[in-house]
Amino acid sequence: TFTRTTFNEPPFLYVTRDSNESIAEWTNLITLTSKDRLSVGGLFNRIEGVELFTVTSPATVTAEGKRLGGAIYAQIDHQLLNNVKLIAGFQTNKIGSIPLDTVPRGGVVWAPSSWASVKALYSQAFRAPSLDENLLNNPGLGGNPNLNPEKVATFDLGVYFQGSRTQAGVHY
């Protein structure tokens, strides 16, 4: 994918921005055995942008940068019993000068009947700071070049019901 974003809005007359991001991703689903399925993949991304403060003439560059990044990931689903599936996986990220980082995921899906199932999933996610969060140097706003990436951990518990014409789920 390729995304280009520009910013030039009346409430912010003195700030313009032009940025773009390219992402290439590949995922492969592999059936290892009748009980095991592996998902593996990787992605590469490139982000680049410039922000200008246009009160001055010529305009002042308040943020400018580019960053390469990539990730590899894998997840295995194992059918432990006819009605119990186990899930385990990871994602390893490398973005710019930020150290390599790996986050896990794991879970279990239990289907006590053909019309109901319960899922419990634990996972972590990783988010690198944006270029503005690191580099911005605008009057009244400043980035922090030492800003660390964020990690969040989640636990998702869900109950699903499926009839012949209707399905519903509740999550916590």
Side-chain angles (χ1 to χ4, degrees), residues 48-139:
E48 177 178 25
V50 62
E51 186 165 307
L52 303 173
F53 186 61
T54 60
V55 168
T56 61
S57 181
T60 303
V61 175
T62 55
E64 183 174 23
K66 59 183 166 184
R67 183 169 57 202
L68 300 176
I72 57 169
Y73 51 88
Q75 176 176 303
I76 190 161
D77 298 0
H78 174 71
Q79 194 71 45
L80 183 64
L81 303 170
N82 284 339
N83 62 352
V84 177
K85 178 170 65 171
L86 302 177
I87 301 165
F90 73 92
Q91 179 172 334
T92 297
N93 302 283
K94 177 64 177 120
I95 299 173
S97 62
I98 298 169
L100 190 73
D101 189 86
T102 300
V103 291
R105 83 182 270 135
V108 62
V109 179
W110 173 52
S113 71
S114 62
W115 54 269
S117 63
V118 177
K119 173 185 85 169
L121 178 65
Y122 172 82
S123 63
Q124 289 185 359
F126 171 92
R127 186 185 81 81
S130 71
L131 292 177
D132 266 358
E133 289 173 320
N134 283 138
L135 304 173
L136 189 63
N137 185 17
N138 199 333

Side-chain angles (χ1 to χ4, degrees), residues 1 8 26-27 29 34 40 42 57-58 81 87 89 91 96 105 115 130 132 152-154 160 163-164 170-171:
T1 62
N8 190 357
W26 165 80
T27 302
L29 305 174
S34 62
V40 295
S57 181
L81 303 170
I87 301 165
Q91 179 172 334
R105 83 182 270 135
W115 54 269
S130 71
D132 266 358
V152 63
T154 61
Y160 304 89
S164 60
V170 178
H171 290 270

